[in-house]
Amino acid sequence: MLLMRHLGQATRHMDRGARSHEYRESIEFLRAHSQEVVAEVSGFLLEEKGSFRKWQIAYLIGELGGEDALALLRRWVEQPVPAPKVVNDGRHRVDLSFSEEGAARAQAVSSIAKIATLRPALRDRAIAALLSIAKGLPELKEASFFELRALLGEDFGSIRSQFGPEDARRFEPYALPSEWQGLLQERRAKHLRQRQELAETQEAVCKAR
């Protein structure tokens, strides 16, 4: 099946991304068949346990940039996360599928933001999805805020009223620690002195000529 061939090819060349002719070729095909791709992978994302393959699909879905892709990603991340299993088989003490599900869902958040940049017409819907995730899913709040800050830029503060006092720190302008500020000022003053000294030296040389 041509669709599966391009899904496989895109997955194999993900590391090189746009530098790979094969990746570009497959992404172009998959974007042209976005609805079919979403229909093909939706059961996998919604029903299968966490895996690296799931992370890969989450990434590729973001590359599609379609309305169906956005809807699938939001539906997936907003459904309950299966509880971790107790693992004690002598090799692992962590439920790897649970950890990989978390990583895949975090990638889904990034993919939602990617759709906002690929398809300006879907930007508002993507931002609404990220806001919903930030408010309702504590495990994905950091990832959502990161993407919202990048998407909104100087308008990031406009969403402040939608969050409580516990999130106030996220909207504070970034500032260096106080102990670094004095050092930075000293470095700036030293740099200005050196520039002035260099200018004076160059001027003296020019006059001597």
Side-chain angles (χ1 to χ4, degrees):
M1 183 179 180
L2 195 56
L3 182 69
M4 296 305 296
R5 183 177 76 79
H6 279 289
L7 272 173
Q9 180 168 282
T11 300
R12 289 192 300 275
H13 295 277
M14 279 177 64
D15 288 345
R16 294 185 61 208
R19 294 173 297 169
S20 165
H21 168 74
E22 292 85 355
Y23 184 80
R24 295 195 308 271
E25 177 187 52
S26 289
I27 289 300
E28 182 178 355
F29 177 90
L30 295 173
R31 284 175 178 167
H33 299 81
S34 177
Q35 291 183 339
E36 295 97 311
V37 176
V38 169
E40 180 68 34
V41 303
S42 60
F44 176 73
L45 287 181
L46 296 172
E47 299 170 12
E48 294 296 320
K49 65 181 181 179
S51 63
F52 179 61
R53 173 68 172 168
K54 216 169 185 181
W55 182 94
Q56 292 176 314
I57 296 298
Y59 182 93
L60 291 177
I61 289 294
E63 292 274 40
L64 299 182
E67 187 174 349
D68 290 343
L70 175 58
L72 173 60
L73 291 170
R74 181 169 182 175
R75 180 184 173 193
W76 170 34
V77 300
E78 290 185 344
Q79 73 178 14
V81 181
K85 298 178 181 179
V86 177
V87 179
N88 188 11
D89 62 1
R91 294 176 301 165
H92 305 293
R93 294 184 180 275
V94 177
D95 184 349
L96 293 180
S97 65
F98 177 79
S99 299
E100 290 181 335
E101 178 71 18
R105 291 189 182 213
Q107 176 55 52
V109 171
S110 297
S111 291
I112 289 173
K114 180 69 176 289
I115 291 173
T117 61
L118 288 174
R119 291 281 301 277
L122 295 176
R123 187 174 186 273
D124 288 346
R125 290 184 59 180
I127 289 173
L130 293 172
L131 284 169
S132 176
I133 294 167
K135 294 173 187 177
L137 299 171
E139 67 274 15
L140 294 175
K141 177 177 276 192
E142 290 292 339
S144 298
F145 266 109
F146 177 85
E147 299 297 348
L148 284 166
R149 188 177 290 106
L151 283 172
L152 294 173
E154 294 181 355
D155 294 328
F156 179 64
S158 65
I159 64 173
R160 173 68 187 88
S161 61
Q162 300 188 46
F163 296 90
E166 68 278 6
D167 293 310
R169 64 178 178 81
R170 302 178 188 276
F171 297 91
E172 295 173 356
Y174 176 75
L176 287 171
S178 58
E179 62 270 21
W180 289 11
Q181 292 180 14
L183 178 61
L184 182 60
Q185 290 174 354
E186 291 177 8
R187 293 286 179 86
R188 284 175 176 168
K190 180 180 179 181
H191 179 64
L192 289 173
R193 288 196 305 271
Q194 290 174 334
R195 286 184 60 185
Q196 182 63 30
E197 291 170 0
L198 178 61
E200 291 173 353
T201 300
Q202 290 175 335
E203 183 178 1
V205 171
C206 290
K207 288 181 178 180
R209 290 177 180 173

